[in-house]
Amino acid sequence: QVQLVESGGGLVQPGGSLRLSCAASGFALDYYSIGWFRQAPGKEREGVSYISSSDSSTHYADSVKGRFTISRDNAKNTVYLQMNSLKPEDASIYYCAAARGQLRWGMLIATRYNYWGQGTQVTVAS
């Protein structure tokens, strides 16, 4: 059974950091590209970051570029999202998603992904 489980969310003050994890089970992450998305109440789901299956190339939304870093550890079947300099507008439910192979376009488009986790809440507030 294919499953993605996010963890690492929580409450952090503005300017703080969190590291989210996306653990895969039921399939080998090596062959999948992973995207991180977020969705705040009343807003559309937004693509945040992407890491490819083949060469671990990455892609970021402009809103998080320079603050967030995506990485993967295939031996642990896990992808991470390091989030620094968090802002109140980063508060959302964060989801990871898997797409087979390398995406050559639409890396931050939700419909390009096949499998989704249940999400983890990130709250940024003082």
Side-chain angles (χ1 to χ4, degrees):
Q1 180 181 358
V2 172
Q3 193 172 14
L4 295 170
V5 178
E6 302 94 337
S7 61
L11 171 64
V12 64
Q13 292 186 342
S17 298
L18 282 175
R19 188 177 81 156
L20 305 184
S21 299
C22 172
S25 61
F27 67 101
L29 207 55
D30 311 46
Y31 303 105
Y32 287 80
S33 296
I34 301 296
W36 281 98
F37 293 79
R38 64 188 182 187
Q39 188 167 19
K43 294 188 176 182
E44 291 188 358
R45 190 164 295 191
E46 173 191 16
V48 173
S49 184
Y50 160 92
I51 188 164
S52 75
S53 59
S54 56
D55 57 5
S56 292
S57 57
T58 58
H59 185 70
Y60 297 93
D62 288 343
S63 57
V64 306
K65 205 170 290 184
R67 300 187 297 122
F68 289 13
T69 303
I70 190 170
S71 62
R72 64 191 301 152
D73 185 340
N74 288 339
K76 294 184 178 180
N77 234 28
T78 301
V79 170
Y80 304 98
L81 184 67
Q82 178 67 43
M83 306 188 297
N84 298 329
S85 303
L86 282 161
K87 305 175 181 180
E89 53 263 42
D90 293 319
S92 253
I93 299 176
Y94 281 72
Y95 301 89
C96 65
R100 187 168 180 84
Q102 183 177 9
L103 299 182
R104 301 190 183 281
W105 60 272
M107 289 83 92
L108 299 183
I109 296 177
T111 53
R112 299 281 285 153
Y113 292 82
N114 307 108
Y115 305 110
W116 289 82
Q118 82 292 344
T120 185
Q121 177 73 52
V122 171
T123 303
V124 184
S126 52

